[in-house]
Amino acid sequence: SGMRDLGYTTYSIHPESATNWNRDRVYQYLGFEHSIWIEDFPGAEKVHYGVTDLETYKKVEEIFENRQEDERLFLFNLTVQNHGGYSESDVNRSVTASIVASEEADIYLYLIRDSDRAFEQLIRYFEKQTEPVIICMYGDHQPKLSDDFYEKVYSQTEGIEEREKRLNMYKVPFVIWANYDIPEQAELDIGMSYLGGLLLDVAGIPKSSYFSFLNQYREEYPIITINGYEDGEGNFY
């Protein structure tokens, strides 16, 4: 709704049923003007759990190409290709885990490689555009593989504590990319609730009082999760 109020046309994209997790209602509450669901992907390529990441990126490009002159877009694309579980899948298991033998991990690793190649295609498309574009990609949690798999991995990891094992399940990378020069940062660890404010800062878009509050709070508590929090000095509680 904040982006809409700033004059952006807002889209949500999710190649699943609109009622999945009540998204048909939730996305309206969030202020999305347009929502794209599974029925908007007729004949789309599918792999593992559903519509491929690449097909959703094609939809992003389609919306971009069909925009009106001077129209500004905000798109939120929630992909499903790599969703668990990983015990059964139609993927070609051409990528294998090297530390611990696991068919589940093999499936996940193949899917991640496939997603990586699709994301590259998206970046290649937008780096050719003259209109300024920013892309933020992130995940919500690590794959839910068997406990036995993780325990075998951790048994080869010296000095890891039980607390770290729990936290690692929700530690995911994110990337903010633009087709023009933006300040570079690396090794930035933040709680996910702060990602929106960071993205607005990178884009140079005015923040609401809520996001301004979060940005200020991030200096004191850069990581807040359901499992604990970290203060500005690196102490975890």
Side-chain angles (χ1 to χ4, degrees):
S1 59
M3 300 299 288
R4 184 193 63 201
D5 294 344
L6 290 171
Y8 286 77
T9 304
T10 57
Y11 285 85
S12 67
I13 303 171
H14 181 52
E16 265 291 335
S17 169
T19 57
N20 189 8
W21 289 95
N22 298 318
R23 287 189 175 91
D24 52 345
R25 287 185 290 164
V26 172
Y27 283 1
Q28 287 186 32
Y29 298 153
L30 292 175
F32 284 106
E33 299 167 276
H34 309 281
S35 290
I36 295 173
W37 309 105
I38 183 61
E39 57 267 23
D40 300 304
F41 289 87
E45 179 187 10
K46 296 182 178 180
V47 66
H48 184 61
Y49 188 86
V51 173
T52 65
D53 291 3
L54 183 60
E55 293 281 6
T56 69
Y57 297 157
K58 289 178 180 178
K59 186 69 69 175
V60 169
E61 295 166 11
E62 176 186 318
I63 295 171
F64 181 80
E65 290 178 355
N66 293 327
R67 72 196 185 284
Q68 301 296 315
E69 187 176 358
D70 298 327
E71 182 180 16
R72 295 181 294 174
L73 300 175
F74 174 78
L75 298 92
F76 176 71
N77 178 24
L78 177 60
T79 63
V80 299
Q81 170 184 308
N82 299 347
H83 197 289
Y86 307 100
S87 58
E88 296 181 7
S89 182
D90 58 354
V91 304
N92 177 0
R93 302 177 190 180
S94 56
V95 183
T96 56
S98 60
I99 299 177
V100 176
S102 167
E103 291 188 357
E104 285 184 306
D106 294 348
I107 291 170
Y108 177 73
L109 291 171
Y110 173 87
L111 292 167
I112 282 294
R113 186 181 69 171
D114 193 58
S115 289
D116 189 51
R117 290 172 173 173
F119 189 58
E120 178 186 17
Q121 185 275 333
L122 183 71
I123 296 297
R124 298 298 183 206
Y125 172 83
F126 279 110
E127 70 181 0
K128 298 175 183 177
Q129 308 302 321
T130 57
E131 183 173 340
V133 174
I134 290 180
I135 296 174
C136 174
M137 186 179 188
Y138 66 98
D140 56 347
H141 58 80
Q142 293 190 5
K144 182 64 177 75
L145 304 178
S146 66
D147 292 339
D148 180 65
F149 170 78
Y150 285 113
E151 286 305 318
K152 287 181 179 178
V153 171
Y154 285 134
S155 68
Q156 302 179 48
T157 308
E158 294 183 4
I160 192 165
E161 302 176 359
E162 286 299 320
R163 181 191 70 188
E164 292 178 279
K165 295 179 183 179
R166 175 70 177 172
L167 290 173
N168 282 348
M169 294 178 66
Y170 299 95
K171 185 182 295 184
V172 294
F174 72 92
V175 60
I176 296 177
W177 173 91
N179 64 349
Y180 61 95
D181 287 336
I182 57 175
E184 294 187 7
Q185 295 189 68
E187 305 300 326
L188 177 62
D189 294 330
I190 63 172
M192 187 172 288
S193 56
Y194 300 124
L195 189 55
L198 176 63
L199 184 59
L200 290 171
D201 280 344
V202 173
I205 294 174
K207 294 189 297 295
S208 66
S209 56
Y210 172 69
F211 277 117
S212 296
F213 161 74
L214 286 180
N215 270 22
Q216 182 178 351
Y217 204 67
R218 178 161 67 95
E219 297 180 6
E220 190 169 357
Y221 299 102
I223 298 175
I224 299 178
T225 78
I226 195 172
N227 297 303
Y229 67 93
E230 184 176 293
D231 64 20
E233 298 179 355
N235 300 307
F236 189 85
Y237 301 91

